[in-house]
Amino acid sequence: MLDSSLAPFSPGAGDQELARARFLAAATDELLDAASTDDALGRLVNVTVPEFCDCACFLTPDAESDTLRPVFFRHRDDSNSGAVRELLDVHRSSISDELGASRVFRSGVAELLPQTGEDLRQVIALNEDHLSRLQHVGLNALMLVPLFVREVVVGVFGLAQFGDRLFHPNDLAMASAVAKRASAVVDRSRLHLAEQDARRRAEASAARLRELAQITMSVIRHPSLDDTLMALLEGVRSLLESDFSSIMLVESSGETARLRLRAAVGLSDEAHQNTLVPLNDDI
């Protein structure tokens, strides 16, 4: 986990470059330990709070509502956490919005909003209720970073400061660097899942081929046609996991055609007694 002794960044501190380097190294180590996509995205949010920002979240597109939905969230202040999370859930950004996370999602360009305090709240408020909630939680600064996977934006990494805390202009580059490392971990996780799926498919295909080979060997071992047909049908029923299998032959008499049951396994006695099926244009 991150070194808890790292102090929050402050623009006036003289050792900020060293602190940033240490933070980025620690964040990288934390992200590289992720075991899955969700784990990586959760760590991306957790790794920045409280060392880098007061609150962080990851927003992903929700196809049903055409909005950006918060899926991972962390706030350093438990007394303010519930109100901020409710704000994010109630006032989601529409993907078509011209400001904030929506613009970053569409453009793929990270933003450190220049406004702070009340100016920031006025700029990003969607309506009066949204503004009131922003004022209540005390949002003071906002930074938004797109998360790419193979050159496609898959979500937005949001970082916020509350009270009197601000971001330094250099923080945007570092947040982008952290997001880039998370992107690499997510890509690695997805490739691993794809490889596992391909392996499962290949193993299933190999198993199916072995079953077909067994059916073939079973069929050719029987000298009589009836035994051969029964062996074939038993193998097909097992392979397809069906309740029954049958072979029906077309039988013609003048202008009349019908199907005659030649061999079957798994059929009821009644079905065996009704071996003729008339053919017409509807069948």
Side-chain angles (χ1 to χ4, degrees), residues 13-34:
D15 62 349
Q16 284 300 289
E17 289 306 315
L18 176 59
R20 292 175 198 279
R22 290 177 61 200
F23 174 82
L24 187 56
T28 300
D29 288 342
E30 178 75 5
L31 288 167
L32 288 175
D33 284 338

Side-chain angles (χ1 to χ4, degrees), residues 72-196:
F72 296 98
F73 170 85
R74 185 181 178 189
H75 197 299
R76 69 181 302 178
D77 183 1
D78 291 341
S79 65
N80 203 26
S81 177
V84 175
R85 181 60 200 248
E86 184 179 9
L87 184 153
L88 290 171
D89 288 328
V90 171
H91 293 287
R92 294 185 187 179
S93 297
S94 170
I95 294 178
S96 61
D97 285 348
E98 296 298 326
L99 295 173
S102 301
R103 180 166 63 189
V104 170
F105 179 78
R106 295 197 311 274
S107 69
V109 178
E111 293 186 13
L112 171 56
L113 275 70
Q115 300 88 354
T116 60
E118 184 61 21
D119 290 340
L120 171 64
R121 297 188 284 267
Q122 292 285 344
V123 166
I124 67 173
L126 301 174
N127 50 48
E128 288 299 322
D129 179 68
H130 192 202
L131 176 60
S132 176
R133 290 173 183 263
L134 290 170
Q135 292 169 335
H136 174 70
V137 299
L139 178 66
N140 198 46
L142 183 62
M143 184 159 53
L144 300 161
V145 179
L147 191 85
F148 288 87
V149 175
R150 295 183 177 259
E151 301 183 354
V152 176
V153 179
V154 297
V156 176
F157 179 33
L159 306 95
Q161 306 284 36
F162 294 83
D164 297 327
R165 197 174 175 189
L166 297 170
F167 288 114
H168 187 275
N170 291 342
D171 290 346
L172 184 61
M174 192 170 73
S176 297
V178 175
K180 187 174 182 179
R181 284 157 174 76
S183 297
V185 174
V186 169
D187 187 36
R188 182 191 67 185
S189 176
R190 290 188 174 187
L191 285 175
H192 178 64
L193 290 175
E195 289 172 358
Q196 288 183 321

Side-chain angles (χ1 to χ4, degrees), residues 228-247:
T228 298
L229 292 177
M230 293 301 291
L232 175 63
L233 292 174
E234 285 285 5
V236 169
R237 184 173 69 155
S238 174
L239 183 64
L240 300 180
E241 298 180 350
S242 61
D243 294 329
F244 68 89
S245 61
S246 64
I247 295 176

